[in-house]
Amino acid sequence: MSEHNQVLQELGLDVALHDEMLASVDRTFGQTVGAQTGRPEGMAYFDSALHAAHGGRVAELVDLKKNGTKTVGTFCIYVPEELAMAANTVPVALCGGTQFSIPYAEKRFPRDICPLVKSTLGLAFSKTCPYGPLKSMAVGETTCDAKKKTWEILAGKVNFHVMELPQKKDQLDIDLWRNAVYEFKDKLESLSGTKVEVENLGTAIKVMNAKRRALQRLAELRKADPPPISGLDALVVMQAALNDEPVRFTAALDRLHAELEERMARGFSPLPEGAQRVMFAGCPAVMGNWKVHALVEQSGAVIVADESCTGSRYFENLIDETARDLAGQVDAIADRYMKINCACFTPNQERIDSIVEKAREYGVKGVVQYVLQTCHGYNVEAMRVEAALKKAEIPSIKIVTDYSEEDAGQLRTRIEAFVEQLS
Amino acid sequence: MLEDGRLVDAEIVDTGTDPLARVRELLAGLGHDPGSGRGTGSCPAPVVATGYGRHLVRARLGFPVITEIRAHALGASMLFPGCRTVIDIGGQDSKVVRVENSRQTDFEMNDRCAAGTGRFLEVMAATLGYGIDEFGSMALDAREPAAISSMCTVFSESEVVSLIARGVDKHSIALGLHESIVLRLLALVGRVGAEPEVVLTGGVALNPCIRMLLEKKLCVRLNVPEQPQIAGALGAALSVADRGKPA
């Protein structure tokens, strides 16, 4: 048994099944991301960061755990990473993007909940998620019904904390969210024994803002016509962002930017000439899930912007760094996260306006609205988004799907016809 | 096959389980030899692939592809120049395409399941012991439709079995099934609208009961090509008809 599998076995994983699961992810990766040509050399880092999510990164966190640094599992980009870092814990996203694990969740959970929740649970139930046993605390949030009820079931088995995210953005809601952020800080402190203070929090804010700036710069480079990078590769960068060590990640991203700028200077683009510029908007596409991005780009379009949790929602808006006391810093954190426009809010005009604005800013010909099957928020909100885009004379198509391949034929036809319509 | 933009020959075969072999046979009948890949064979005229196997044909034989949505828009517009809406009910999916100047401007298509498609009718006809060719006229013989609440192929099948067990008239069940598929189609049509002239394409257009119900519910007259199954192939051929012969 390899040294790494030894580590996994010590974590209590089903090593053979874990190998099978990774092989299935590798296969999908090879057919989508790996099948592209003209990829930037700098992508090698992010490809390996994705693989390291089940390899090197796990070993790193096991070592950190031995030295007393705790890992905190999260399921949503509303959970402030800065606080976890300041409290000397490591936040790691636990969202599953693999079809492979879903049957393991369906053995116990209802089939008609979203694939992201099912895949995440399936990884845990099948003992193929190294972060499950690794984490010292899991942090849920109240963004959707399937998640809320799932937390209740998981809470009995692990140290589980739930942040209450409000449903509206009025003052009462802002106050509630600030309280939730404070409560999270207290939880982290009692977990790690490290006090969150002006200095360590200030450092964490700077680290995360630097990471956000780097991601914003990548988004900026994708505005170029033609873009120097495919939407699939930009997605891989985003997926890596959710698990990788932030300082190392930012440095690697800066190196990628330099390469992309050099490509732009000599007029090189990996995309076919005349590829239609398209924006992706809606649900996240986490590690393992390259389905719709690949279909869109294999149909002769290029995704130049992602309005999703694996896109702009993750890196837009910096945290105000000018606060000089802890209360000011924590409020600044709460305020930044409150600006994320998730479809769980009502009303949600800010998101609708921002999609139209982005579509213009990135010069897209059309928008692909992506809805994970049974995600009612994004599915119903898509109607208002479509209407707003129509008014702005921007065509859009809504794709409702899960992680399986059973609808690949129909989706390919629909997406190709949409791209044909744009040209 | 087109000559000077006119349809000169058409052949319809089942795709079966080896679509590449079917394509080679069809092409051989027209004097084409696609060879084993790009440029290795001899084809006297350009060939375009459309439909579910199009990418297989492109990968193996090197022919260009267009989606069946664009193909049906082109084909229906040639057959009925005033065409503004195409309703295509195929074996695997059904689609409604809005058309302007032979090009699609908007479309809706059922996703993933076989509800509302020719496959649904095939399975249901078999369950009732009818041939697919007689299913529509048998349904038209019914005095009143049986209520079918499910649109899902799997659930409808069990619903049909229980209706048979209750002694409900087979014709009524057949009519109920046709109404169910039309109801499903109406939801699709409702999303993009059905501006006249409306053209019905795909093999299901041969079914008189579907035609009657759709015309009644949509309050429009449907134009049905003589061979509605080939509208997509015709459109695919038209998409390169003006590009001349390949070198």
Side-chain angles (χ1 to χ4, degrees), chain A residues 136-158:
Chain A
S136 301
M137 179 168 81
V139 191
E141 72 320 304
T142 55
T143 45
C144 82
D145 293 345
K147 279 178 156 190
K148 279 189 285 194
K149 294 292 131 182
T150 299
W151 308 152
E152 292 168 14
I153 292 163
L154 295 182
K157 302 190 178 82
V158 290

Side-chain angles (χ1 to χ4, degrees), chain A residues 29-44:
Chain A
F29 185 87
Q31 287 158 356
T32 53
V33 182
Q36 303 175 99
T37 53
R39 303 187 69 206
E41 279 173 29
M43 282 307 298

Side-chain angles (χ1 to χ4, degrees), chain A residues 336-356:
Chain A
R336 185 264 156 193
Y337 283 88
M338 195 70 180
K339 283 189 202 129
I340 299 173
N341 293 320
C342 173
C344 63
F345 280 92
T346 183
N348 205 18
Q349 193 59 41
E350 295 89 344
R351 172 163 182 258
I352 292 157
D353 293 343
S354 83
I355 291 174
V356 175

Side-chain angles (χ1 to χ4, degrees), chain A residues 406-407 416 420-421 423, chain B residues 52 55 67 70 103 105 112:
Chain A
E406 66 186 35
D407 57 351
E416 274 184 32
E420 279 174 354
Q421 204 172 296
S423 46
Chain B
Y52 274 79
H55 287 290
T67 66
R70 185 166 160 229
R103 283 183 65 101
T105 55
R112 83 176 45 225

Side-chain angles (χ1 to χ4, degrees), chain A residues 291 298 373 390 397 400-402 404 406-407 409-414 416-418 420-421 423, chain B residues 52 54-55 58 65-70 92-93 95 103-107 109-113:
Chain A
K291 182 176 170 179
Q298 287 165 3
Q373 205 166 302
K390 200 167 193 172
I397 186 172
V400 184
T401 188
D402 59 10
S404 75
E406 66 186 35
D407 57 351
Q410 280 101 326
L411 284 186
R412 194 176 287 280
T413 299
R414 287 181 62 204
E416 274 184 32
F418 179 67
E420 279 174 354
Q421 204 172 296
S423 46
Chain B
Y52 274 79
R54 65 189 182 282
H55 287 290
R58 174 163 74 175
V65 297
I66 69 169
T67 66
E68 50 267 46
I69 290 173
R70 185 166 160 229
Q92 183 100 338
D93 57 45
K95 9 186 149 50
R103 283 183 65 101
Q104 80 254 30
T105 55
D106 201 0
F107 66 91
M109 180 174 146
N110 73 316
D111 35 25
R112 83 176 45 225
C113 76

